[in-house]
Each structure stands twice: as structure tokens, then as C-alpha cells.
Amino acid sequence: MKKKMIAFNATVMLGLSAVLSTPTYAQTMSEMQAQKQEVQKKQADVQSNLKEAEDKLSSLKGEQKELIAQLNRLNLATEKNNEKVEETEKQITETNKKVKSLEKEIDELKEKLAQREEVIKERARSLQKSGGNVDYISVILGSADIGDLIGRAFAVNTVAEADRDLLQETKDMQDSLEKKQKEVKDKLSSLKDMKAELEEMQAQLDTQKAQKDKVMEDLKAQEMDSADIKAALEQQSSSLKDQESNLDESISAEQKRQEEIKAQEAAKKAAEEAAAKAAAEAKQNTESSSTEVAQAPQAKSAPAASSKSTTTSEERSSVKAETTSTPSSNVSSTPTSGNVVTVGNKWIGNSAYVFGGGRTQSDIDNGLFDCSSFVRWAYAQVGVDLGPMGAVSTDTLKHKGTKVSASSMKPGDLVFFDTYKKDGHVGIYVGGGQFIGAQSSTGVAIANMSSGYWADHFSGHVVRI
């Protein structure tokens, strides 16, 4: 059993090593999905092994429970056996006392019997002098001892009446003494046998207890091994869960990144189409104005012509200003929104999020921003100073400009999100439920704030610069 446990433990540890050495980073969505499936498969194997370890622990606990019950029974048996041994020893002591008492009685009885023997023999001698029964006299006087005397006396047909009663009493006393002596000796022998049996039983109980204590020790060792295996498997499971969670986050981030890229491409395409449309309309207006000017009658005086020429120049300046701005939405924008929502497009896919980044020219040159430094940089590109490069933060930005309601926000407004703290993230609203900013997962990117993560964390705090 121990060998099997050791082998199982080794298998688990090798499995843990394999799990912990598995990389959790993948370059592509398909790699991450494949790795997630591999992690899930390993998780299933770990759960299976964990179930086996839990079953083993349950089985060991069941065996321990049964063994504890057996040990309790052995302890109880030992306790009762010891009580019986003590009781037997007391009985042996008491019986030995009775034996000594009986031995004393026997000695006293032997003395009385000897005296009676002399009395009977003396009567026999007296009977012999008076010419009594020869057979009786020879029987009594020829007996070897009192026992032989009694036996011979009762074998003689002619016995004196007085001697008969005396002999009968003597015989009864001897029989009673022998009976008591036999009973006591038998009891003493029985007690000694019982004590020997109890001592043997105690030795067996001690042996069984020692064996079961060894089994209990082995079971506890196996339980510790199983507990270690279970802990290792739970660690595996936790590690795999963390890997799966990290992969889920990576997959989610990758999906979000791809969605953001698509949204950026869509926004960029829409902006280019809008710019092209505006340019076409501006060109058409310019051509129309040129035609009108060409068809108009000649002015009669030079001053009038000069005045008309000035008006045409102002109109052209107005048209030029209109064509150079790039609308990002059909919604009306703040005065600086035309460029501030698009100046950061060059960093999309070409930047990285660095907490505290964007506060040196070197960071900016390398596209290293955090959310607030990117907003400051974007507004600086359109001539708006939101504070010193090294001191800007979400806390300083939320106190700039004018606070407006979320329902009336326009492209170019600053939008705040509750992330690691209240108003912990900031971006620039570009319209259509989207904002541009330096995101921790992608760097500078356009993100959707109408649903998903950013919708859940939008604080409703909007500032118009």
C-alpha cells in the first residue's frame, strides 16, 4: 500500500511540475485558445486525481475509524482483563489462606484421630484381658494407622456399640476433611490456571494493541501523504485556474484589442470619407463661385472692383478653413475638437502604455504614454496647454475647463472612468460612443464606451475644454 502511495505521490508531483512549467503567454488568439484547452484538460486530470486523493483520504479515515473502534475494544478488554487478573490474585490469596487454615484443621484432626486410635486400641486391649472377641481385637491392634483401623473395624461383624459410634464419627470427620482439602486444592489449581490464562490473554491483547498501533501509525502516515497529495493537487488546480483566468483575460484583451482595431479602422475610414466629402463639396463651391465671378458684368469703377476682390478673398479663406478641419461625427464639436480627436491616430498601434509615462520628450518620441499624459499631448498639438508636462494627472485634468452632462458631450470632451480609483482613467471623446486614449492593454487606441468594460466603468464625469 505504501509503495502504491509513493508511486501516486511521485506521479502527482511530476504532474505539478508539468503544470507549473507550462507557459501561460501566447502570441495569437488561436494559440491562447489552444493553450486554454490544454489547461482545461490538465485541470480535468487534476480534478480526477484530486477525486482519487479525496476518496483515498475518505477510505483511510474510514479505516482509521474502524481501527480506533478496534483499539477502543482492545483497551476495554485490557482494562477488564486487568481487573479480572487482580480479582483472581485476590481469590488466590484468599484460597491460600483457606488452604493454610484447612492444613491447620487437618493437623488438629490428625491429632484427634491419633488420640481416638489410642482410645480404641486401649479398649481392644481391655477387651482382650476380659476374654473378648479375638477377631475384633486382632483387627484393631493389627491396623497400621487410624484409616486402616477404621476400615478393618467396620469389616468385623462383631463391634462394640460404643466403638461403632466413635468410629463412625471419626470416619465422618476424616471424609469431611478430605473433601474440604480436595475442594480447596481444586479451587486453588483452578485459580492458578485462570491467572495463567488471563496473563496469556493480556499478552495477546498487548500484542494486538501493538500491531494495531503500528497499523494506525501507517494509516496516519498514509493520511499525511494523501493530505500532501491533495494539497499539491489543490495547488495544481489553483495554478491551473489562475492560468485559465489569465488566459481568459488575455483572450478578452485580445478580442477587445481586435474590436478596438476594427473600430479604429472604421472610425478612420469614416473620417477619411467625411474629409473627402467635405473636400469635394468645398471644391464644388469654389468652382461655382469662380463661375459666378466670371459671368458677372465688369465694374464701372476701380474702387468697386477692389471691393469685390476683397470679398472673394475672405470667402476663400473661410472655405479653406472649412476644408482643413476633419469632422469625426455628425454631432457638433467643441472648437478644438476638429484636430484633437485625430492627432493621436498616429500612435494607434505604435505606442505603449506606461504608468507615469509621457512626461519627458524621450517618452513622447517613443510613444510611451499613460492616459493623462496622452490627453495633455493631444491638446498641446492643437495649441491648448493643459498644464506642465511633468505635473499633469487625471486629478488635475478633471478640474480643467467646464463640467458638462454626459448626455450633451461632444467630440473633444474629456471623459473619465472609475478604474483603480475615482476618475482614475481619462480619454478624449471622438463621437459615436467611442473615445481615444492611452489604454493599459493596447497603448493609444480608440475604445467603445457604450458597452462592455468601459461602459461599466464610465463615471459620467465629462469636462469640456
Side-chain angles (χ1 to χ4, degrees):
M1 182 178 289
K2 183 175 288 187
K3 289 182 179 179
K4 182 179 180 182
M5 181 64 66
I6 293 172
F8 181 65
N9 197 351
T11 301
V12 169
M13 292 308 172
L14 287 172
L16 177 59
S17 176
V19 169
L20 296 180
S21 64
T22 302
T24 57
Y25 176 77
Q27 292 290 339
T28 67
M29 181 71 76
S30 60
E31 289 175 339
M32 286 188 287
Q33 292 287 4
Q35 189 174 356
K36 180 179 177 180
Q37 290 177 359
E38 181 183 353
V39 168
Q40 289 174 336
K41 182 178 180 300
K42 288 181 178 179
Q43 182 70 276
D45 293 338
V46 168
Q47 291 301 318
S48 176
N49 289 336
L50 187 58
K51 177 66 166 56
E52 183 178 345
E54 288 172 345
D55 290 345
K56 181 64 177 178
L57 271 174
S58 178
S59 175
L60 287 171
K61 287 183 182 298
E63 290 181 41
Q64 287 184 30
K65 184 178 180 181
E66 178 59 29
L67 192 58
I68 288 171
Q70 292 177 13
L71 284 169
N72 288 337
R73 288 193 290 270
L74 286 174
N75 289 332
L76 182 60
T78 299
E79 181 181 346
K80 291 187 176 297
N81 185 66
N82 286 332
E83 290 176 357
K84 192 66 176 176
V85 168
E86 291 176 2
E87 181 184 347
T88 302
E89 288 175 344
K90 288 180 181 179
Q91 289 179 354
I92 289 173
T93 301
E94 291 174 0
T95 303
N96 280 326
K97 288 180 181 179
K98 287 182 180 181
V99 168
K100 289 181 180 180
S101 176
L102 284 171
E103 288 174 348
K104 183 178 180 180
E105 289 180 18
I106 289 170
D107 290 339
E108 291 173 353
L109 184 57
K110 284 180 179 179
E111 185 177 350
K112 287 180 180 180
L113 288 172
Q115 291 173 357
R116 291 192 179 206
E117 182 181 5
E118 286 301 320
V119 170
I120 294 171
K121 286 183 176 181
E122 184 59 33
R123 286 180 179 179
R125 292 189 188 97
S126 297
L127 183 61
Q128 183 181 20
K129 290 179 180 179
S130 62
N133 191 316
V134 178
D135 291 336
Y136 175 75
I137 294 170
S138 63
V139 166
I140 295 301
L141 297 177
S143 61
D145 54 34
I146 186 64
D148 186 32
L149 184 149
I150 292 171
R152 289 183 177 211
F154 278 104
V156 176
N157 291 329
T158 306
V159 180
E161 189 66 29
D163 291 342
R164 181 181 294 277
D165 292 340
L166 182 61
L167 289 170
Q168 184 63 51
E169 182 183 356
T170 302
K171 183 178 187 303
D172 291 341
M173 289 175 63
Q174 187 178 31
D175 290 343
S176 174
L177 187 61
E178 290 176 351
K179 183 179 179 181
K180 284 183 178 179
Q181 192 176 30
K182 184 177 185 302
E183 287 176 355
V184 170
K185 287 182 177 179
D186 289 343
K187 184 175 182 180
L188 183 60
S189 177
S190 175
L191 288 170
K192 288 180 177 179
D193 290 342
M194 181 184 291
K195 182 182 177 182
E197 185 177 352
L198 288 169
E199 287 174 346
E200 177 64 25
M201 184 185 299
Q202 185 61 52
Q204 292 177 1
L205 288 171
D206 291 340
T207 300
Q208 290 182 50
K209 189 172 182 298
Q211 290 173 344
K212 294 190 182 299
D213 285 339
K214 181 64 171 62
V215 173
M216 177 62 78
E217 184 178 336
D218 290 341
L219 288 174
K220 287 183 177 179
Q222 290 182 48
E223 182 182 16
M224 291 180 64
D225 287 343
S226 295
D228 289 342
I229 289 170
K230 182 182 177 184
L233 288 167
E234 288 173 342
Q235 183 181 352
Q236 281 185 325
S237 180
S238 177
S239 176
L240 289 168
K241 284 180 181 177
D242 289 343
Q243 289 186 41
E244 185 172 1
S245 177
N246 291 337
L247 284 168
D248 284 338
E249 290 178 3
S250 297
I251 290 170
S252 177
E254 176 64 15
Q255 290 174 338
K256 185 169 72 173
R257 188 184 73 82
Q258 291 180 3
E259 291 174 357
E260 289 173 352
I261 290 173
K262 290 180 180 178
Q264 294 166 19
E265 292 174 351
K268 186 175 181 180
K269 183 177 180 181
E272 290 173 351
E273 290 175 353
K277 182 178 179 181
E281 289 176 353
K283 181 178 180 181
Q284 183 178 358
N285 291 337
T286 302
E287 291 175 352
S288 176
S289 297
S290 299
T291 302
E292 290 175 359
V293 170
Q295 293 176 352
Q298 294 288 332
K300 291 184 178 181
S301 64
S306 175
S307 175
K308 181 65 177 179
S309 175
T310 301
T311 300
T312 301
S313 175
E314 290 175 354
E315 288 176 351
R316 287 178 180 176
S317 297
S318 175
V319 171
K320 183 176 181 181
E322 182 178 353
T323 57
T324 55
S325 65
T326 306
S328 61
S329 173
N330 292 330
V331 183
S332 59
S333 305
T334 57
T336 58
S337 66
N339 288 331
V340 78
V341 298
T342 58
V343 291
N345 287 347
K346 74 170 188 174
W347 295 119
I348 294 176
N350 191 32
S351 61
Y353 181 93
V354 176
F355 191 87
R359 287 167 177 77
T360 65
Q361 192 57 49
S362 175
D363 281 353
I364 294 173
D365 292 342
N366 290 283
L368 306 178
F369 297 99
D370 65 10
C371 60
S372 54
S373 65
F374 171 76
V375 168
R376 179 200 171 278
W377 174 86
Y379 268 89
Q381 304 312 298
V382 295
V384 178
D385 184 6
L386 295 181
M389 180 186 295
V392 68
S393 68
T394 55
D395 288 335
T396 62
L397 291 177
K398 69 182 181 181
H399 297 298
K400 297 289 183 179
T402 304
K403 185 175 181 180
V404 297
S405 65
S407 60
S408 61
M409 61 183 173
K410 298 177 180 179
D413 291 342
L414 303 188
V415 287
F416 292 82
F417 303 85
D418 295 338
T419 51
Y420 71 99
K421 67 175 184 178
K422 178 71 175 175
D423 295 328
H425 189 71
V426 64
I428 302 170
Y429 186 63
V430 298
Q434 296 180 320
F435 75 99
I436 188 171
Q439 326 297 4
S440 59
S441 59
T442 58
V444 175
I446 295 175
N448 183 11
M449 57 181 292
S450 297
S451 62
Y453 177 86
W454 294 114
D456 294 339
H457 292 77
F458 178 46
S459 66
H461 187 181
V462 182
V463 169
R464 182 163 297 159
I465 301 301

